[in-house]
Coordinates of all heavy atoms in Angstrom, one line a residue:
E1 N 41.2 56.3 -112.4 CA 42.2 56.9 -111.6 C 41.7 57.1 -110.2 O 42.5 57.0 -109.2 CB 42.7 58.2 -112.2 CG 43.4 58.0 -113.6 CD 43.7 59.3 -114.2 OE1 43.3 60.4 -113.8 OE2 44.5 59.3 -115.2
A2 N 40.4 57.5 -110.1 CA 39.8 57.7 -108.8 C 39.7 56.4 -108.0 O 40.0 56.4 -106.8 CB 38.4 58.3 -108.9
T3 N 39.4 55.3 -108.6 CA 39.4 54.0 -107.9 C 40.7 53.6 -107.4 O 40.9 53.1 -106.3 CB 38.8 52.9 -108.9 OG1 37.5 53.3 -109.4 CG2 38.7 51.6 -108.2
E4 N 41.8 53.9 -108.3 CA 43.1 53.6 -107.8 C 43.5 54.5 -106.7 O 44.2 54.1 -105.7 CB 44.1 53.8 -109.0 CG 43.9 52.8 -110.1 CD 44.7 53.1 -111.4 OE1 45.3 54.2 -111.4 OE2 44.7 52.3 -112.4
G5 N 43.1 55.7 -106.7 CA 43.3 56.7 -105.6 C 42.7 56.2 -104.3 O 43.3 56.4 -103.2
V6 N 41.5 55.7 -104.3 CA 40.9 55.1 -103.1 C 41.8 54.1 -102.5 O 42.0 54.1 -101.3 CB 39.5 54.6 -103.4 CG1 39.0 53.8 -102.2 CG2 38.6 55.7 -103.8
A7 N 42.3 53.2 -103.3 CA 43.2 52.1 -102.8 C 44.5 52.7 -102.2 O 45.0 52.2 -101.2 CB 43.5 51.2 -104.0
E8 N 45.0 53.7 -102.9 CA 46.2 54.4 -102.3 C 45.9 55.0 -101.0 O 46.7 54.9 -100.0 CB 46.7 55.4 -103.3 CG 48.0 56.1 -102.9 CD 48.5 57.2 -103.8 OE1 47.7 57.6 -104.6 OE2 49.6 57.6 -103.6
A9 N 44.7 55.7 -100.9 CA 44.4 56.3 -99.6 C 44.3 55.3 -98.5 O 44.8 55.6 -97.4 CB 43.1 57.1 -99.8
M10 N 43.7 54.2 -98.8 CA 43.6 53.1 -97.8 C 45.0 52.6 -97.4 O 45.2 52.2 -96.2 CB 42.7 52.0 -98.3 CG 41.3 52.4 -98.6 SD 40.5 53.3 -97.2 CE 40.4 51.9 -96.0
H11 N 45.9 52.5 -98.3 CA 47.2 52.0 -98.0 C 47.9 53.0 -97.0 O 48.5 52.6 -96.1 CB 48.1 51.9 -99.3 CG 49.5 51.6 -99.0 ND1 50.0 50.3 -98.7 CD2 50.6 52.4 -99.0 CE1 51.3 50.4 -98.4 NE2 51.7 51.7 -98.7
W12 N 47.8 54.3 -97.3 CA 48.4 55.3 -96.5 C 47.9 55.2 -95.1 O 48.6 55.2 -94.1 CB 48.1 56.7 -97.0 CG 49.2 57.2 -98.0 CD1 49.1 57.1 -99.4 CD2 50.4 57.9 -97.7 NE1 50.2 57.6 -99.9 CE2 51.0 58.1 -98.9 CE3 51.0 58.3 -96.5 CZ2 52.2 58.8 -99.0 CZ3 52.2 59.0 -96.6 CH2 52.8 59.2 -97.9
L13 N 46.6 55.0 -95.0 CA 45.9 54.9 -93.7 C 46.4 53.7 -92.8 O 46.6 53.8 -91.6 CB 44.4 54.8 -93.9 CG 43.5 54.8 -92.6 CD1 43.8 56.1 -91.8 CD2 42.0 54.7 -92.9
R14 N 46.6 52.6 -93.5 CA 47.0 51.4 -92.8 C 48.5 51.3 -92.5 O 48.9 50.6 -91.6 CB 46.6 50.1 -93.6 CG 45.0 49.9 -93.6 CD 44.7 48.6 -94.1 NE 43.3 48.3 -94.0 CZ 42.3 48.4 -94.9 NH1 42.7 48.9 -96.1 NH2 41.1 48.1 -94.7
E15 N 49.3 52.0 -93.3 CA 50.8 51.9 -93.2 C 51.6 53.1 -92.9 O 52.6 53.0 -92.3 CB 51.3 51.3 -94.5 CG 50.6 50.0 -95.0 CD 50.9 48.8 -94.1 OE1 52.0 48.9 -93.5 OE2 50.2 47.8 -94.1
D16 N 51.1 54.3 -93.3 CA 52.1 55.4 -93.4 C 51.6 56.7 -92.7 O 52.3 57.7 -93.0 CB 52.4 55.7 -94.9 CG 53.2 54.6 -95.5 OD1 54.1 54.1 -94.9 OD2 52.8 54.1 -96.6
V17 N 50.6 56.7 -91.9 CA 50.2 58.0 -91.3 C 50.3 57.9 -89.7 O 50.1 56.8 -89.2 CB 48.9 58.6 -91.7 CG1 48.9 58.9 -93.2 CG2 47.8 57.6 -91.3
D18 N 50.6 59.0 -89.1 CA 50.8 59.0 -87.7 C 49.5 59.6 -87.0 O 49.4 59.6 -85.7 CB 52.0 59.8 -87.2 CG 53.3 59.3 -87.9 OD1 53.5 58.1 -87.7 OD2 54.0 60.0 -88.5
G19 N 48.7 60.2 -87.8 CA 47.4 60.8 -87.2 C 46.5 61.2 -88.4 O 47.0 61.2 -89.6
V20 N 45.3 61.5 -88.1 CA 44.3 61.8 -89.2 C 43.5 63.1 -88.9 O 43.0 63.3 -87.7 CB 43.4 60.6 -89.3 CG1 42.2 60.9 -90.3 CG2 44.1 59.4 -89.8
I21 N 43.4 63.9 -89.9 CA 42.4 64.9 -89.9 C 41.2 64.5 -90.8 O 41.5 64.2 -92.0 CB 43.0 66.3 -90.5 CG1 44.0 66.8 -89.5 CG2 41.9 67.3 -90.8 CD1 44.8 68.0 -90.0
Y22 N 40.1 64.3 -90.2 CA 38.9 63.8 -91.0 C 38.0 64.9 -91.3 O 37.4 65.5 -90.4 CB 38.2 62.7 -90.2 CG 37.4 61.8 -91.1 CD1 38.0 60.7 -91.7 CD2 36.0 62.0 -91.3 CE1 37.3 59.9 -92.6 CE2 35.3 61.2 -92.1 CZ 35.9 60.1 -92.8 OH 35.2 59.3 -93.6
V23 N 37.8 65.2 -92.6 CA 37.1 66.3 -93.0 C 35.7 65.9 -93.6 O 35.6 65.0 -94.4 CB 37.8 67.1 -94.2 CG1 37.0 68.3 -94.6 CG2 39.2 67.5 -93.7
L24 N 34.7 66.5 -93.0 CA 33.3 66.2 -93.4 C 32.6 67.5 -93.9 O 32.8 68.6 -93.3 CB 32.5 65.6 -92.3 CG 32.9 64.1 -91.9 CD1 32.3 63.8 -90.6 CD2 32.5 63.2 -93.0
D25 N 31.8 67.4 -94.9 CA 31.0 68.5 -95.4 C 29.8 68.6 -94.4 O 28.9 67.7 -94.3 CB 30.5 68.2 -96.8 CG 29.6 69.3 -97.4 OD1 29.1 70.1 -96.6 OD2 29.4 69.3 -98.6
S26 N 29.7 69.8 -93.7 CA 28.7 69.9 -92.6 C 27.3 70.1 -93.2 O 26.3 70.2 -92.4 CB 29.1 71.0 -91.7 OG 29.1 72.3 -92.4
T27 N 27.2 70.2 -94.5 CA 25.8 70.3 -95.1 C 25.3 68.9 -95.5 O 24.1 68.8 -95.9 CB 25.9 71.2 -96.4 OG1 26.6 70.5 -97.4 CG2 26.5 72.5 -96.1
Q28 N 26.1 67.9 -95.3 CA 25.7 66.5 -95.7 C 25.6 65.6 -94.5 O 26.2 65.8 -93.5 CB 26.8 65.9 -96.7 CG 27.0 66.7 -97.9 CD 25.8 66.8 -98.8 OE1 25.2 65.8 -99.0 NE2 25.6 67.9 -99.4
D29 N 24.7 64.6 -94.7 CA 24.5 63.6 -93.6 C 25.8 62.8 -93.4 O 26.3 62.2 -94.4 CB 23.4 62.7 -94.0 CG 23.0 61.6 -93.0 OD1 23.7 61.6 -91.9 OD2 22.1 60.9 -93.2
P30 N 26.4 62.8 -92.2 CA 27.6 62.1 -92.0 C 27.4 60.6 -91.8 O 28.4 59.8 -91.8 CB 28.1 62.7 -90.7 CG 26.9 63.1 -90.0 CD 25.9 63.5 -91.0
F31 N 26.2 60.1 -91.6 CA 25.9 58.7 -91.3 C 26.0 57.9 -92.6 O 24.9 57.6 -93.2 CB 24.6 58.5 -90.6 CG 24.5 58.9 -89.2 CD1 23.9 60.1 -88.8 CD2 25.1 58.2 -88.2 CE1 23.9 60.5 -87.5 CE2 25.1 58.6 -86.9 CZ 24.4 59.7 -86.5
T32 N 27.2 57.6 -93.1 CA 27.4 56.9 -94.3 C 28.2 55.7 -94.0 O 29.0 55.7 -93.1 CB 28.0 57.7 -95.4 OG1 29.3 58.0 -95.0 CG2 27.2 59.0 -95.7
Q33 N 28.2 54.7 -94.9 CA 29.0 53.5 -94.8 C 30.5 53.9 -94.8 O 31.3 53.4 -94.0 CB 28.7 52.5 -95.9 CG 29.5 51.2 -95.9 CD 29.2 50.3 -97.0 OE1 28.3 50.6 -97.9 NE2 29.9 49.2 -97.1
V34 N 30.9 54.8 -95.7 CA 32.3 55.2 -95.9 C 32.8 55.8 -94.6 O 33.9 55.5 -94.1 CB 32.5 56.1 -97.1 CG1 33.9 56.8 -97.0 CG2 32.3 55.4 -98.3
N35 N 32.0 56.8 -94.0 CA 32.5 57.5 -92.8 C 32.6 56.5 -91.6 O 33.6 56.5 -90.9 CB 31.6 58.6 -92.5 CG 31.6 59.7 -93.5 OD1 32.7 60.0 -94.2 ND2 30.5 60.5 -93.7
T36 N 31.6 55.7 -91.5 CA 31.7 54.7 -90.4 C 32.8 53.8 -90.5 O 33.5 53.5 -89.5 CB 30.3 53.9 -90.3 OG1 29.2 54.8 -90.2 CG2 30.3 52.9 -89.2
M37 N 33.0 53.3 -91.8 CA 34.2 52.4 -92.0 C 35.5 53.0 -91.7 O 36.4 52.5 -91.0 CB 34.1 51.9 -93.4 CG 35.3 51.0 -93.8 SD 35.4 50.7 -95.6 CE 35.9 52.4 -96.2
L38 N 35.7 54.3 -92.2 CA 37.0 54.9 -92.1 C 37.3 55.3 -90.6 O 38.4 55.1 -90.1 CB 37.1 56.1 -92.9 CG 37.3 55.9 -94.4 CD1 37.3 57.2 -95.2 CD2 38.7 55.2 -94.7
I39 N 36.3 55.8 -89.9 CA 36.5 56.1 -88.5 C 36.8 54.8 -87.7 O 37.7 54.8 -86.9 CB 35.3 56.8 -87.9 CG1 35.0 58.2 -88.6 CG2 35.4 56.9 -86.4 CD1 36.2 59.2 -88.3
G40 N 36.1 53.7 -88.1 CA 36.4 52.4 -87.4 C 37.9 52.0 -87.7 O 38.5 51.5 -86.8
I41 N 38.4 52.1 -88.9 CA 39.7 51.7 -89.2 C 40.7 52.6 -88.5 O 41.7 52.2 -87.9 CB 40.0 51.9 -90.8 CG1 39.2 50.8 -91.5 CG2 41.5 51.7 -91.0 CD1 39.3 50.9 -93.0
I42 N 40.4 53.9 -88.5 CA 41.3 54.9 -87.7 C 41.4 54.5 -86.2 O 42.5 54.5 -85.7 CB 40.8 56.3 -87.9 CG1 40.9 56.8 -89.3 CG2 41.5 57.3 -86.9 CD1 40.2 58.0 -89.7
E43 N 40.2 54.2 -85.7 CA 40.2 53.8 -84.2 C 41.0 52.5 -84.0 O 41.7 52.3 -83.1 CB 38.8 53.6 -83.8 CG 38.1 55.0 -83.7 CD 36.6 54.9 -83.4 OE1 36.0 53.8 -83.5 OE2 36.0 55.9 -83.0
S44 N 40.8 51.5 -85.0 CA 41.5 50.2 -84.8 C 43.0 50.4 -84.9 O 43.8 49.6 -84.4 CB 41.0 49.2 -85.9 OG 41.5 49.6 -87.2
Q45 N 43.5 51.4 -85.7 CA 44.9 51.7 -85.8 C 45.4 52.5 -84.6 O 46.6 52.8 -84.5 CB 45.2 52.5 -87.1 CG 44.8 51.7 -88.4 CD 45.8 50.7 -88.7 OE1 45.6 49.5 -88.4 NE2 46.9 51.0 -89.3
D46 N 44.5 52.9 -83.7 CA 44.9 53.7 -82.5 C 45.6 55.0 -82.9 O 46.5 55.4 -82.3 CB 45.8 52.9 -81.6 CG 45.7 53.4 -80.2 OD1 44.7 54.1 -79.8 OD2 46.7 53.2 -79.5
L47 N 45.0 55.6 -84.0 CA 45.6 56.9 -84.5 C 44.8 58.0 -83.9 O 43.6 58.0 -83.8 CB 45.5 57.0 -86.0 CG 46.3 56.0 -86.8 CD1 45.9 56.0 -88.3 CD2 47.8 56.3 -86.7
P48 N 45.6 59.1 -83.5 CA 44.9 60.3 -83.0 C 44.1 60.9 -84.2 O 44.6 61.0 -85.3 CB 46.0 61.2 -82.6 CG 47.2 60.7 -83.3 CD 47.0 59.2 -83.4

């Protein structure tokens, strides 16, 4: 179900949101593949 949820989240990002609140755990290292990828997609979609 979690894997399906990831796919759904990506669909929303590419098709159905007007802006993004990106939440990070400030106790964890933010330099991850997922964070870099998602921020890149958000920027490519020109979303605030």
Side-chain angles (χ1 to χ4, degrees):
E1 292 173 352
T3 301
E4 293 169 354
V6 171
E8 182 184 14
M10 297 307 294
H11 171 79
W12 273 92
L13 183 58
R14 291 191 171 99
E15 305 291 338
D16 291 314
V17 296
D18 302 306
V20 172
I21 290 171
Y22 201 82
V23 183
L24 288 167
D25 180 344
S26 62
T27 70
Q28 302 295 318
D29 184 356
F31 287 105
T32 67
Q33 180 182 358
V34 167
N35 292 333
T36 302
M37 174 191 71
L38 283 177
I39 294 296
I41 292 173
I42 292 165
E43 290 173 344
S44 71
Q45 297 286 96
D46 201 25
L47 294 170

